[in-house]
Amino acid sequence: MASNPYRVNPDDPRAPPQELWEQLTPEEQAQVIDSLPSEFPVSQTHPPEGDPHYEAKSRTREVLGSFFSRIGRKVYLACELPVYYPGESMFAPDVIAVLDMESRSRMRWMVSAEGKGPDLALEVIVAGERRKDLERFARLGIREYFVFDRGRLRLSGWRLEEGRRAYRPILPQHGFYRSDVLGLELQVDDERLRFYVGGAALPEAQEMISRLEHMMERVEASHTDLEHQLTEEMRLRAEESRLRAEETQRREDAERRLAEALAELERLRGERG
């Protein structure tokens, strides 16, 4: 088998330039994709930022994934997935969103193979400084870029204007930052990044579980109340039947005693006659 004309540098992994990519055969393209690292090279690693960083990005993916699944919209979401643009050094935002793409499992996002790059990138900062990705992300055509500063509880956003390769700040309206890509509003609330639609916050997993548990408790309580009502109704019906039976028995006893008394009276009259 002929060797692939493109080799990946493990210390600075990059996808081939688009011109070279288009010259490769499908088999060679597949080899290139498989050779692109799905983990961070040493040059791209950042110090870990603990649970707050992990929870913020994973919660974002979970909330958005659940929402788009419910409304039937195809949006691919990933956390810290290596992204490869043609000829560019690899980078991996904390969260990416790509519209109109299947949510299948991926080890990397290779723009030439997928046909498009991310539409939105989100970074979460806890203790470090915000990464200087504005110019690069704008040049690559990533439509929106948000930074959630978890340590300072601040949110910033930028958007590309039509036909331009420079970001303009997204100005908040009544405390909400509008994402045209997602069709949602963003806001920092109670030390968390929250997403809103029509003024209502998208529920997080634990909130949905709590709501379902509350609904189940209400259903079970209603079921218990119904059982109590049925039990009480059955008890009352049984008591009514018992009283009717006792009344019938008393009436029959009284009629029997009256018949016996009349018979005795007739007998005594016969003896006197």
Side-chain angles (χ1 to χ4, degrees):
M1 182 174 60
S3 62
N4 197 308
Y6 183 80
R7 293 188 179 277
V8 175
N9 180 357
D11 296 325
D12 183 18
R14 296 173 183 241
Q18 189 65 26
E19 298 80 5
L20 177 56
W21 171 260
E22 293 173 354
Q23 295 172 11
L24 300 177
T25 66
E27 293 75 13
E28 291 171 337
Q29 290 179 350
Q31 292 177 31
V32 169
I33 294 173
D34 291 340
S35 67
L36 292 171
S38 59
E39 67 279 351
F40 294 93
V42 175
S43 61
Q44 293 287 338
T45 56
H46 296 274
E49 297 190 73
D51 287 340
H53 181 260
Y54 171 80
E55 291 169 357
K57 65 184 181 182
S58 61
R59 184 185 297 118
T60 293
R61 180 183 181 184
E62 182 179 78
V63 169
L64 293 179
S66 176
F67 171 71
F68 290 126
S69 177
R70 290 197 304 272
I71 67 174
R73 185 181 182 187
K74 291 195 299 183
V75 179
Y76 176 73
L77 301 160
C79 293
E80 293 190 340
L81 186 78
V83 177
Y84 293 93
Y85 276 81
E88 296 279 342
S89 58
M90 182 272 280
F91 63 95
D94 289 323
V95 181
I96 62 170
V98 194
L99 303 182
D100 304 316
M101 300 299 290
E102 296 292 343
S103 295
R104 59 180 176 82
S105 179
R106 291 172 172 85
M107 297 297 293
R108 61 191 65 78
W109 188 271
M110 209 278 206
V111 174
S112 295
E114 298 285 356
K116 66 178 299 188
D119 293 293
L120 176 145
L122 169 74
E123 298 284 6
V124 179
I125 306 299
V126 176
E129 293 297 324
R130 178 172 60 81
R131 303 170 193 169
K132 298 182 182 301
D133 294 326
L134 276 171
E135 183 177 344
R136 184 185 188 192
F137 284 5
R139 175 173 56 82
L140 294 175
I142 298 176
R143 291 168 52 193
E144 290 181 345
Y145 179 38
F146 288 91
V147 174
F148 171 39
D149 189 332
R150 175 63 175 75
R152 299 179 179 87
L153 298 180
R154 295 176 183 172
L155 179 64
S156 303
W158 296 267
R159 180 182 297 120
L160 285 179
E161 292 185 344
E162 188 70 28
R164 298 190 61 182
R165 283 294 182 264
Y167 279 127
R168 293 289 299 273
I170 298 174
L171 301 179
Q173 300 291 328
H174 306 290
F176 294 91
Y177 291 77
R178 171 73 184 180
S179 169
D180 290 342
V181 168
L182 302 176
L184 300 170
E185 289 81 37
L186 291 73
Q187 185 186 57
V188 178
D189 179 49
D190 191 24
E191 299 186 353
R192 292 177 296 175
L193 178 61
R194 300 299 302 261
F195 296 84
Y196 298 78
V197 59
L202 301 187
E204 298 179 357
Q206 188 56 50
E207 292 172 336
M208 295 184 69
I209 292 173
S210 298
R211 291 180 185 179
L212 290 173
E213 289 177 344
H214 182 62
M215 290 174 60
M216 289 300 298
E217 289 173 357
R218 292 176 58 185
V219 170
E220 291 175 355
S222 299
H223 183 67
T224 300
D225 290 343
L226 180 60
E227 285 185 337
H228 288 165
Q229 293 176 7
L230 292 174
T231 301
E232 180 64 15
E233 185 176 348
M234 292 175 64
R235 188 191 66 79
L236 292 174
R237 289 182 179 179
E239 180 67 13
E240 183 180 353
S241 297
R242 185 185 65 79
L243 293 174
R244 282 201 302 268
E246 290 180 353
E247 179 63 24
T248 299
Q249 186 63 46
R250 284 196 296 270
R251 187 171 60 253
E252 291 177 350
D253 290 344
E255 290 176 352
R256 177 178 54 77
R257 289 194 296 270
L258 178 60
E260 291 176 351
L262 291 175
E264 180 63 18
L265 180 60
E266 289 296 327
R267 185 184 67 77
L268 293 175
R269 287 176 178 173
E271 289 179 351
R272 290 179 181 178

